[in-house]
Amino acid sequence: MNARNFSSLAIAALFIVYASTVSAHEGTGITGGFISGFLHPVLGWDHVVAMVAVGLWGAFLGNPAIWVLPVVFPLIMAFGGALGVIGVPIPAVETGIAASAVVLGAMVAFTVRAPIWIAAVIVGAFAIFHGHAHGTELPNAANPLAYSIGFVLSTGLLHLSGVAFGLLVRWPAGKVVVQTGGGLIALVGVGFLTGIV
Amino acid sequence: MSAKRFLVVCLSLWVVPEVSLAHSSIQGIGTFYNGLLHPILVPAHLLLLVAVGLFLGQQDSKAIQPALGVFAFATIAGLTAAWFFTASQTETLILVLSAVIGLVIAVSPKIPLLLSVVIALLAGFLLGSDSAQEALSDKDKFVTLFGNGVAIYFLVFYSMVLVDYLNKKAWQRIGIRIVGSWVAASSLLVLALPFSSQGQT
């Protein structure tokens, strides 16, 4: 081995043994559980667009849908989540989540004024898919209750952001903006369904 | 089995001593502050406290006063019970009660005074009795449990006053109901955990 190779090897060895703090796996305890739960819906764009669409549609339909849909969703989502926790399989969960963005986005884009019970059934049906996806992660969470609180809170805040945005429908130009938003959500959903996004 | 015998068996099972693994104390902040922070640092307690506060805030002022009085009495009774024994499986009961109260907040029906008082009684006693500090004794134990009681009562009181203040406009009432549904959903999910093949408690 010549001197040049030896020095390269020595430098490589030095870097290997160089001690540094391991930053991974900080997500322990209550804080870790809460943060991982809170980020779970936020980091999945398919979840994000569908949740915003729930709020948009609720705002579009007006009272009582504006509060019924954000109340129905987490409760039915908890049922779907419980199925995920227990291990009851639901076929095509990811497809169901992507379809929720397509359907709910289209409802907003085409200003579908469904009766409140039909809107609740549609939103509730999709909530099962979203809940199942979150629920399967729950048993592995650092703190299951903190994870659960985190992801329910995060989901609810996404609904409220959709409701807040949807309140623009009070103005004619705002209605167009909200409908465009719904259309974009539906398109993103199609992208998830076809695998383009 | 007679109702009396069933009650005795239930109470006996409840007071079976076992090691308390949860709620480790924070070093260096003293016993009082450890007790004060306990309900905030235990997610199940915080969830139930918020639920009770929201629930009482939704009620008429005629129902709030007796319910708050009963809650204070039940909390003291629960903390007294925690002095003598460590209750087991209380967290499950706390989550069941949180889920029920969350659903009631979301639906927001007209609640009879007696039911409000019963909910306050159960919540106060469960929160107090689940605050056992078996590693402590005598004065330290008393001070910690006292801090616990102060935090439990004031967390419920402040969240109730906030909701009572906010319970005026339609969108504020809607917001309270939505938060109730969040409380119910969070509790229900964790209640499913014992049925999981990977379940942990």
Side-chain angles (χ1 to χ4, degrees):
Chain A
M1 184 185 291
N2 60 32
R4 194 171 174 177
N5 284 346
F6 180 77
S7 62
S8 300
L9 196 66
I11 290 168
L14 187 67
F15 274 113
I16 288 171
V17 299
Y18 183 76
S20 62
T21 310
V22 175
S23 300
H25 318 314
E26 287 177 332
T28 56
I30 296 166
T31 314
F34 178 79
I35 291 173
S36 62
F38 192 85
L39 291 179
H40 197 256
V42 177
L43 294 179
W45 279 102
D46 45 356
H47 288 294
V48 172
V49 291
M51 295 309 97
V52 173
V54 170
L56 285 179
W57 199 26
F60 223 109
L61 293 174
N63 211 12
I66 196 168
W67 66 267
V68 167
L69 299 188
V71 166
V72 164
F73 195 96
L75 293 175
I76 306 292
M77 183 179 73
F79 172 69
L83 295 179
V85 169
I86 296 167
V88 176
I90 291 182
V93 170
E94 293 303 321
T95 308
I97 292 169
S100 69
V102 177
V103 173
L104 296 171
M107 295 292 177
V108 177
F110 297 112
T111 59
V112 178
R113 297 200 176 276
I116 180 64
W117 69 270
I118 290 181
V121 167
I122 291 171
V123 164
F126 286 127
I128 292 175
F129 292 105
H130 287 267
H132 195 277
H134 300 310
T136 47
E137 302 289 328
L138 193 135
N140 302 315
N143 182 303
L145 181 55
Y147 174 93
S148 171
I149 293 170
F151 98 69
V152 169
L153 193 64
S154 172
T155 301
L157 291 176
L158 285 170
H159 289 159
L160 293 185
S161 66
V163 167
F165 186 64
L167 290 176
L168 289 172
V169 295
R170 292 175 181 184
W171 297 279
K175 193 176 171 187
V176 175
V177 171
V178 173
Q179 280 183 274
T180 309
L184 286 174
I185 287 171
L187 280 177
V188 171
V190 171
F192 281 119
L193 266 181
T194 54
I196 295 170
V197 180
Chain B
M1 189 187 286
S2 69
K4 191 177 172 184
R5 186 170 289 185
F6 179 73
L7 192 67
V8 169
V9 170
C10 287
L11 280 172
S12 308
L13 285 172
W14 198 30
V15 300
V16 167
E18 58 177 62
V19 180
S20 178
L21 298 174
H23 326 328
S24 58
S25 60
I26 300 170
Q27 300 295 320
I29 63 166
T31 47
F32 176 74
Y33 288 105
N34 256 312
L36 202 69
L37 288 174
H38 184 266
I40 299 165
L41 295 177
V42 180
H45 286 208
L46 190 58
L47 206 60
L48 183 55
L49 286 167
V50 170
V52 173
L54 293 177
F55 168 73
L56 291 179
Q58 272 188 329
Q59 308 308 308
D60 294 333
S61 53
K62 275 192 287 185
I64 289 176
Q65 288 177 26
L68 262 184
V70 168
F71 181 79
F73 170 78
T75 305
I76 293 166
L79 289 169
T80 308
W83 178 276
F84 295 106
F85 60 84
T86 303
S88 62
Q89 301 299 323
T90 318
E91 186 161 303
T92 306
L93 294 174
I94 287 174
L95 289 174
V96 169
L97 191 59
S98 300
V100 170
I101 298 174
L103 285 170
V104 170
I105 295 165
V107 178
S108 191
K110 196 80 181 165
I111 297 287
L113 173 65
L114 183 64
L115 193 58
S116 301
V117 169
V118 169
I119 285 174
L121 181 78
L122 287 172
F125 188 76
L126 283 175
L127 287 165
S129 62
D130 194 41
S131 303
Q133 302 286 339
E134 63 178 14
L136 302 175
S137 59
D138 304 330
K139 186 186 165 193
D140 284 346
K141 194 172 185 175
F142 177 79
V143 172
T144 306
L145 289 175
F146 180 71
N148 246 307
V150 170
I152 288 171
Y153 194 76
F154 278 99
L155 278 170
V156 162
F157 184 72
Y158 285 135
S159 51
M160 185 208 75
V161 169
L162 183 69
V163 171
D164 188 51
Y165 178 74
L166 289 176
N167 210 8
K168 307 282 187 295
K169 295 179 179 170
W171 69 268
Q172 293 168 333
R173 286 193 290 271
I174 290 167
I176 293 161
R177 294 171 79 161
I178 290 173
V179 175
S181 73
W182 295 353
V183 170
S186 304
S187 311
L188 288 169
L189 272 160
V190 179
L191 285 171
L193 203 56
F195 302 102
S196 162
S197 54
Q198 311 166 61
Q200 41 180 287
T201 53

